[in-house]
Amino acid sequence: MTPPAQDSALNELAHSPASWQPTLTFLRYAIVTILTGATLYGAIILIFLPDQPTRAIGPGLIAMVALLSAYLLRQGRSHEAILLLAGGIWLAMMVASVVFGGVRSTIYYAYPLVIFVLGWMVSSRAAIVAAVLTSVLTIVLVIADAADWLFAEPGGPLALYAFVQIVVYILTAAMVTYLVRAYRRQLEELRQTELKFRTAFASSPVAASIATLAEGRLIDVNDNFERDFGWSKRELLSRTAMDVGLWLEARHRTEWAETLIRHGRALNYETVWRHRNGNLRNVSLSSEIIQLNGVSCILAYATDVTERKAAEQQIHRLAFYDPLTGLPNRRLLMDRLGHAMVACIRHRHLSALLFLDLDNFKALNDTHGHDKGDLLLQQVGARLVSCVREDDTVSRLGGDEFVVMLEGLSGNTEDAAAQAETVARKIMAALNQSYDIQPLRVHSSPSVGITLFGAEHENPEEPIKRADLAMYQAKGAGRNTSRFFDPRMQAMMHERSELERDLRLALQRRELVLYYQLQVQRSGRVTGVEALLRWPHAQRGLVPPGTFIPLAEETGLIVPLGVEVLEQACRQLALWSQRPEMAHLTVSVNVSPRQFQREEFVAEVLAVLQRTGASAQRLKLEITESLLIDHVDDVITKMEVLKAQGVGFALDDFGTGYSSLSYLKRLPLDQLKIDQGFVRDLLIDPDDAAIARMVIVLGQSLGLEVLAEGVETLEQQQVLQFQGCQAYQGYLYSRPLPLAQFEELAQQPGWPFVQPAA
Ligand code: C2E
Ligand code: MG
Ligand code: MG
């Protein structure tokens, strides 16, 4: 059971002083000592007392006994060697004491020592037998002495000698018996503990290791360790688990050790160990601190649970994922839906559910077979995943039903609905592409039901039911379309799509027009105008940009729309350059982030300038802070290219966004426009006044002109002027005017100076 002594550090521990035990070495030393002592004693007697050679008989006998014992020991008969040594000395002493004075001989006092050695080295029974025998002989010797049968010289209280001797023998035998018993008991306990874990250790189906607590050195591992983790016992001994890189996560090791030290044990601790070949293995560790011959050690059973883990994951996959598409199944969807709902309520945003059903799936399945149907479902799943963000969930409920959950939408119902609608369209477009199902190319379309959730707590089944109902409405509306569950939302989305259709038409028919609003210096001189877009709509009247610009941005219509605005503005610039009263005017054109971020933007602007013949020096582009949220370097590069051609830049609605002053310095700007929100309450709200003041100071320090927009009253203008503002735009001077009206204004006396309206 115990491993070979040589290669086990455990054995080394067992021989430490803490666990002293009789050994053959001890016996060997005893024999040599006795032999040397007896020989020297005998020699001294023969040399110095040549007239009493009989006195050398004792040491001579003892030396012979010792020699004989040494011989037996060499033969490997250690037990007999001990018996012979003790018994021989006992006999030799008996002979010597009979010759030299019986019970009164000085040598007689060595008997307790012999009894002790016998007890300790042979058995307590041997000690008792020796004690009894010696006592009996002592009594015989006393009688013999009294009868004068001995050579001993008389003298002294004989009976008292004998009594004392016998008491000492009995005491010695009792003491050695007690000591041996206690020692055996201790040894037995130790042996039992060792036996217990040895049995478990060696026969355990798993690798285990033992490490000394203080140093973390491994002192033994069983053979299974090599099988499971590739490290042989020899390679591991005296190294630490860290030395061999066993633990994948040092953090886990610390945590495990802390638990172990705190509680004395750590059960079923799951972690990952590295096999010698680099493979990762999941292990479950059960460890406890044990005392091994007085030293604190860790005994750890490591069960390789890699296969079990894999099976668990497999079970998890089967339980929560659809085997055909690999998408989450209904159960996982419900779980995530519950979490999403809580998150929505906490963060005050909304989420959406899109319920999809393929329109002609049954027909395809019936005509081409289930395997083709399966292929189609897999491709649909993949396309759905590609349409949404990573955080969103695409799940398959079964059959041809899919549910997409969009999380983290706007907290505003209309905006969230628009976001969901945008994704729905993207999905419809993606699923309407034909499918390559060898050898067929098939076409399929979905009907999509949409609902929002997250405004309140409800049963997760509810939004699914709503989206399902809405999907049926989409089917009823002719398939290959989407429907909102909420009729108001549906109406809203309907209106949106009508607006989009109309905007497209208006763009094609070039119905969009520019209005112009004056930009006035503090002297009252008009130096420029801002071009503001208007959409004259047959039913809706003049539609303001706030209504259709966001829609144009979402649908991508902003691109042709932006080009149209630039084109009109530049054409106007070119025309005005021919007219002395207008030639000095700059035209500011608003550029939306989506438009600016396009790679072609710079080329487009330059092309328009070229085409219209407008002077780049008179064109000013208004960008907003939202453009500066990401890719600032790209923005700066584009600005610099245009700037080099003479185009100017204004930062619109300044103070509302996230501008970091650090990159404001790097932008090649000409003008900061204080947002009208701060101007509106300038006279009432001290915070707004402070912000306006700050923008003015900032502009001055950066060498930029500061223009206040939305200036409606003379008081506002005066406060701003007092604060150092250089230019103004607002109803105080003029509303945005259609071209004809604006040109009329320029014919007024006093132009290019204007008076504020009273
Ligand atoms: P913006 O660039 O900040 O334009 C200023 C807005 O303030 C304009 O609204 C203007 O009519 C309004 N306004 C001017 N003076 C006053 C005033 O004294 N009081 C008040 N209450 N309002 C004043 P509008 O024309 O409705 O334009 C709204 C926004 O639409 C613009 O804000 C701009 O961001 C955007 N926009 C307008 N035209 C275009 C365009 O051609 N392209 C792009 N991308 N966006 C445009
Ligand atoms: Mg503007
Ligand atoms: Mg503005």
Side-chain angles (χ1 to χ4, degrees):
M1 189 86 57
T2 315
Q6 294 87 330
D7 75 342
S8 169
L10 186 69
N11 226 49
E12 219 172 87
L13 263 184
H15 286 280
S16 66
S19 62
W20 182 88
Q21 51 177 311
T23 61
L24 297 182
T25 318
F26 176 79
L27 182 61
R28 216 169 278 136
Y29 287 142
I31 291 174
V32 170
T33 312
I34 292 169
L35 188 61
T36 317
T39 311
L40 281 176
Y41 187 57
I44 288 170
I45 288 172
L46 289 179
I47 294 167
F48 294 100
L49 302 169
D51 52 327
Q52 303 177 28
T54 44
R55 291 186 68 168
I57 293 172
L61 283 174
I62 290 177
M64 273 164 63
V65 166
L67 265 176
L68 207 56
S69 302
Y71 170 74
L72 286 175
L73 196 62
R74 269 196 85 88
Q75 300 265 302
R77 293 154 68 185
S78 48
H79 198 72
E80 281 108 317
I82 296 171
L83 281 178
L84 177 70
L85 190 71
I89 291 174
W90 188 90
L91 266 178
M93 278 172 11
M94 196 51 80
V95 171
S97 52
V98 166
V99 174
F100 297 107
V103 192
R104 286 166 299 198
S105 164
T106 38
I107 208 167
Y108 218 85
Y109 294 96
Y111 278 111
L113 193 69
V114 174
I115 293 169
F116 191 87
V117 169
L118 267 175
W120 193 243
M121 298 202 58
V122 182
S123 67
S124 26
R125 177 143 4 119
I128 293 167
V129 169
V132 171
L133 202 62
T134 318
S135 300
V136 170
L137 274 171
T138 304
I139 293 167
V140 171
L141 280 181
V142 167
I143 295 168
D145 197 342
D148 225 358
W149 295 336
L150 302 179
F151 307 105
E153 291 178 18
L158 199 58
L160 189 63
Y161 279 135
F163 176 73
V164 171
Q165 288 291 354
I166 290 170
V167 168
V168 172
Y169 306 148
I170 291 166
L171 273 180
T172 308
M175 188 171 79
V176 76
T177 305
Y178 170 76
L179 276 178
V180 167
R181 287 247 171 94
Y183 179 74
R184 282 273 155 77
R185 209 170 32 240
Q186 206 186 330
L187 209 64
E188 183 55 23
E189 269 174 29
L190 212 64
R191 211 177 59 83
Q192 285 297 331
T193 326
E194 190 169 330
L195 193 73
K196 214 161 67 186
F197 87 71
R198 277 280 163 217
T199 314
F201 185 56
S203 62
S204 95
V206 296
S209 59
I210 319 177
T212 44
L213 194 55
E215 305 137 33
R217 276 189 308 120
L218 294 161
I219 51 179
D220 204 2
V221 294
N222 75 359
D223 294 339
N224 296 341
F225 194 93
E226 181 165 2
R227 184 198 63 196
D228 287 355
F229 299 101
W231 295 95
S232 73
K233 195 179 287 189
R234 193 166 316 118
E235 286 169 317
L236 282 178
L237 293 185
S238 299
R239 298 170 77 180
T240 68
M242 278 303 170
D243 290 341
V244 295
L246 199 58
W247 290 76
L248 181 67
E249 305 255 14
R251 182 170 55 87
H252 280 192
R253 203 197 98 95
T254 314
E255 192 182 273
W256 164 80
E258 277 169 9
T259 314
L260 198 55
I261 288 165
R262 198 172 316 121
H263 304 290
R265 58 176 55 196
L267 300 179
N268 304 324
Y269 186 86
E270 297 217 342
T271 185
V272 180
W273 276 4
R274 209 183 273 116
H275 189 281
R276 198 181 170 190
N277 64 17
N279 282 352
L280 298 182
R281 312 295 301 171
N282 294 86
V283 290
S284 171
L285 273 181
S286 282
S287 336
E288 62 179 316
I289 296 181
I290 55 162
Q291 295 301 319
L292 206 56
N293 303 329
V295 180
S296 291
C297 297
I298 301 167
L299 173 62
Y301 297 94
T303 316
D304 186 324
V305 294
T306 311
E307 270 80 46
R308 195 198 75 202
K309 276 264 162 197
E312 273 172 13
Q313 275 167 12
Q314 174 71 8
I315 289 167
H316 178 81
R317 252 199 306 282
L318 288 175
F320 292 104
Y321 289 86
D322 166 41
L324 179 65
T325 57
L327 296 174
N329 64 10
R330 185 187 188 96
R331 192 178 298 148
L332 185 53
L333 172 72
M334 296 305 284
D335 184 58
R336 292 200 186 160
L337 212 150
H339 287 292
M341 205 174 278
V342 173
C344 278
I345 290 161
R346 183 175 311 142
H347 300 119
R348 294 170 194 280
H349 56 62
L350 293 168
S351 292
L353 270 195
L354 276 56
F355 198 113
L356 284 95
D357 186 285
L358 301 184
D359 290 333
N360 295 306
F361 183 71
K362 197 175 173 312
L364 177 110
N365 229 6
D366 291 347
T367 38
H368 299 294
H370 288 270
D371 51 334
K372 298 282 182 271
D374 284 356
L375 284 175
L376 177 73
L377 291 174
Q378 284 170 339
Q379 291 187 22
V380 166
R383 287 186 195 185
L384 286 175
V385 169
S386 73
C387 285
V388 299
R389 294 172 306 180
E390 220 165 278
D391 299 345
D392 297 329
T393 299
V394 175
S395 65
R396 177 172 174 241
L397 295 198
D400 59 345
E401 289 180 342
F402 294 84
V403 170
V404 176
M405 180 168 75
L406 308 175
E407 289 186 63
L409 303 181
S410 164
N412 172 290
T413 310
E414 286 183 26
D415 293 344
Q419 286 169 316
E421 159 102 354
T422 306
V423 177
R425 281 190 204 205
K426 198 170 159 192
I427 286 177
M428 308 265 293
L431 298 198
N432 267 288
Q433 305 288 320
S434 64
Y435 296 81
D436 185 12
I437 295 174
Q438 291 295 335
L440 312 167
R441 271 205 96 76
V442 299
H443 190 267
S444 173
S445 64
S447 292
V448 185
I450 312 172
T451 191
L452 296 182
F453 68 90
E456 58 186 14
H457 274 292
E458 57 183 335
N459 187 325
E461 289 284 355
E462 292 302 320
I464 295 203
K465 274 191 217 157
R466 289 202 298 270
D468 193 7
L469 275 173
M471 187 274 291
Y472 277 103
Q473 287 168 17
K475 286 245 187 252
R479 308 179 167 219
N480 196 14
T481 184
S482 66
R483 278 290 176 276
F484 270 89
F485 171 77
D486 183 338
R488 269 177 310 131
M489 227 173 271
Q490 185 54 42
M492 227 160 60
M493 289 306 124
H494 179 70
E495 168 159 336
R496 245 175 73 89
S497 59
E498 279 200 334
L499 201 66
E500 185 190 336
R501 189 197 58 207
D502 290 356
L503 184 59
R504 238 175 248 282
L505 273 176
L507 253 174
Q508 274 167 18
R509 298 182 189 151
R510 312 200 105 188
E511 287 171 359
L512 297 168
V513 292
L514 286 183
Y515 275 39
Y516 298 93
Q517 187 176 33
L518 304 184
Q519 292 180 333
V520 184
Q521 294 293 304
R522 59 199 311 178
S523 59
R525 182 179 145 91
V526 179
T527 52
V529 289
E530 177 172 4
L532 292 160
L533 195 58
R534 297 290 181 268
W535 176 17
H537 189 281
Q539 286 89 45
R540 298 169 195 264
L542 202 59
V543 186
T547 312
F548 64 90
I549 295 273
L551 180 73
E553 290 201 333
E554 273 167 41
T555 55
L557 276 176
I558 193 71
V559 175
L561 189 142
V563 176
E564 167 71 15
V565 170
L566 256 179
E567 186 107 31
Q568 276 195 40
C570 288
R571 219 180 304 125
Q572 211 51 61
L573 262 179
L575 286 174
W576 288 339
S577 69
Q578 309 298 320
R579 294 165 59 170
E581 77 277 17
M582 314 284 257
H584 71 287
L585 294 176
T586 59
V587 174
S588 296
V589 172
N590 293 286
V591 177
S592 80
R594 182 94 191 251
Q595 192 184 346
F596 195 99
Q597 275 152 2
R598 293 177 60 249
E599 224 169 276
E600 305 87 335
F601 179 72
V602 171
E604 265 166 22
V605 174
L606 296 177
V608 170
L609 283 169
Q610 177 101 46
R611 203 159 51 231
T612 55
S615 154
Q617 273 74 17
R618 298 268 168 270
L619 179 66
K620 198 181 277 175
L621 299 180
E622 293 196 359
I623 58 170
T624 54
E625 287 173 271
S626 56
L627 177 65
L628 306 173
I629 295 173
D630 2 76
H631 311 302
V632 183
D633 290 320
D634 179 53
V635 172
I636 294 175
T637 312
K638 285 180 177 163
M639 286 173 77
E640 276 167 352
V641 176
L642 290 170
K643 183 88 189 173
Q645 300 298 315
V647 178
F649 286 96
L651 193 55
D652 205 356
D653 306 339
F654 186 70
T656 56
Y658 317 85
S659 291
S660 131
L661 297 184
S662 64
Y663 59 64
L664 209 54
K665 263 204 318 228
R666 296 167 53 205
L667 298 174
L669 288 171
D670 300 276
Q671 193 180 51
L672 282 186
K673 297 184 76 172
I674 307 177
D675 186 68
Q676 50 178 286
F678 302 117
V679 175
R680 191 183 309 123
D681 295 331
L682 191 69
L683 303 173
I684 342 165
D685 188 338
D687 288 345
D688 284 355
I691 291 172
R693 170 77 192 133
M694 187 211 74
V695 176
I696 292 165
V697 170
L698 185 69
Q700 283 168 349
S701 73
L702 292 172
L704 305 177
E705 182 186 72
V706 178
L707 178 145
E709 49 182 4
V711 182
E712 296 183 354
T713 67
L714 202 56
E715 288 84 356
Q716 287 170 340
Q717 194 269 339
Q718 278 164 352
V719 170
L720 288 162
Q721 179 149 338
F722 176 74
Q723 290 184 339
C725 184
Q726 292 130 310
Y728 310 91
Q729 185 183 335
Y731 298 167
L732 180 63
Y733 295 97
S734 97
R735 299 204 162 237
L737 301 170
L739 179 67
Q741 238 169 298
F742 170 66
E743 286 184 339
E744 223 168 84
L745 190 74
Q747 302 307 318
Q748 303 284 317
W751 178 263
F753 288 87
V754 289
Q755 291 298 316

